[in-house]
Amino acid sequence: MSLSITGLAKIFPGGVRALDGFSLEVGSREFVTVVGPSGCGKSTLLRLLAGLDEADAGSVALDGKSLDGLQPKDRDMAIMFQNYALFPHMTVAQNMAFGLKLRKTPRDEIAKRVGEAARLLGIAGLLARYPGEMSGGQRQRAALGRAMLRRPKVFLFDEPLSNLDAKMRAQLRVEIARLHQSLDSAMIFVTHDQVEAMTLGDRVVVLKDGVIQQCADPETLYREPANAFTAAFIGSPGMNLFSGRLEEAAGGLAFTHPLFTWTLPPEARARMASRAGQPVTFGIRPEDIGSAEARQASGPSIKARIGVVERLGGQACLYLEGTGDIAFAARPEDASGCQTGQTLELPLCAAKGRFFDSASGTALY
């Protein structure tokens, strides 16, 4: 199975480009997550793929067959929305079997498939209940079961977990991952939650203003962002971005910023030599500030005052303010004694940082 999306575009009244030249190849049994801020075109993408809206440009093909102009029922895709969309007057079993009944599937086959799906999703004991008698997580499982019973070639998920509490979201993430492993279908999962995107996806598509910013596996996306937007968007908190300049110095080439100066090592110096004398942006992850590795390296350090301490059980995130109220975040390995208002000097593991073009945001090194 292969899903080919080529140059997909959607323009709404007023010239708003919800999707602009979206192209992607999705392989058999691949799980692709699409993440981005509100209004970036995520839901529009799914509606175009499902045939619920008509594209203004581009094409979609499944196994080499064009889907352009086909009705939703003829596309061999199942879409699951943010709301449960269950029939309130039907039991869970009836809701799950609804699509199969429309296709005149034999009664014994319906009962068998509903039972198998219910066991997989942990709702086998709820088949006689009505939606109003179940929790949000249980209703979402029932909706998921209804979608999977179609056995489509492609599953489309439109933020299906956004109405659930944090614990239930975590549980259903696991259920969806298990479902993916058990089915011979590709999945495209749209979310604004980067935790969902990074934990579920084989590949993650970062979308902004209808345009793909980067498509990569989660580790590459996190450690090697293609631009400053992706760097700041991915991560909680995102990558710190420091605007400064590259200057010729006695030791070679140095990045200068009001809070610190870093003399680049040979490899970085060679890669960035053409940018000498120019403004650039340096990005570094919060966990690379104040880490044990940073303390062992002979790199620069930042002196700043703690504005907020966000304690997360076994670790803490510090939100700091340096000279000129320049704000950044750090996640040192030991922040047990840190208090608001305290001044710290934290070393940087600068070798793990990234340089970006100040104007375009494109990654340089």
Side-chain angles (χ1 to χ4, degrees), residues 157-168:
F157 295 96
D158 189 4
E159 302 197 40
L161 310 182
S162 59
N163 288 334
L164 305 177
D165 61 62
K167 183 178 180 180
M168 186 57 66

Side-chain angles (χ1 to χ4, degrees), residues 242 259-260 284 289 300-304 322 328 344-348:
F242 297 100
L259 297 185
F260 66 96
I284 187 168
I289 301 177
S301 61
I302 294 182
K303 190 174 183 179
F328 64 99
L344 300 177
E345 187 162 355
L346 297 169
L348 307 183

Side-chain angles (χ1 to χ4, degrees), residues 225-230 281 355-364:
N227 53 47
F229 174 82
T230 301
T281 298
F355 281 109
F356 303 94
D357 183 272
S358 292
S360 67
T362 303
L364 302 172

Side-chain angles (χ1 to χ4, degrees), residues 102-126:
L102 290 181
R103 292 171 178 78
K104 303 187 185 303
T105 305
R107 183 174 299 178
D108 290 346
E109 178 68 13
I110 290 177
K112 177 184 175 183
R113 288 169 63 176
V114 168
E116 289 174 350
R119 282 190 294 274
L120 179 64
L121 294 169
I123 55 173
L126 306 177

Side-chain angles (χ1 to χ4, degrees), residues 248 251-254 263-275 355 365:
E248 295 286 357
L253 190 64
T263 301
L264 277 61
E267 182 182 352
R269 185 166 61 242
R271 294 282 296 273
M272 298 298 295
S274 64
R275 294 277 175 163
F355 281 109
Y365 172 72

Side-chain angles (χ1 to χ4, degrees), residues 214-232:
Q214 188 172 0
C215 177
D217 64 89
E219 181 66 23
T220 299
L221 197 70
Y222 190 77
R223 282 296 169 192
E224 302 175 20
N227 53 47
F229 174 82
T230 301

Side-chain angles (χ1 to χ4, degrees), residues 184-246:
D184 189 25
S185 301
M187 294 186 174
I188 300 178
F189 188 104
V190 155
T191 179
H192 64 273
D193 186 329
Q194 58 176 287
V195 173
E196 290 176 5
M198 299 286 277
T199 56
L200 287 172
D202 299 319
R203 285 189 296 159
V204 181
V205 176
V206 179
L207 201 59
K208 177 191 177 190
D209 298 332
V211 178
I212 294 178
Q213 302 298 303
Q214 188 172 0
C215 177
D217 64 89
E219 181 66 23
T220 299
L221 197 70
Y222 190 77
R223 282 296 169 192
E224 302 175 20
N227 53 47
F229 174 82
T230 301
F233 188 80
I234 297 297
S236 182
M239 182 178 279
N240 298 298
L241 299 176
F242 297 100
S243 298
R245 296 182 65 87
L246 285 175

Side-chain angles (χ1 to χ4, degrees), residues 309-325:
V309 180
E310 187 179 67
R311 303 198 183 277
L312 306 169
Q315 59 178 206
C317 185
L318 309 180
Y319 293 88
L320 302 110
E321 296 175 358
T323 304
D325 292 331

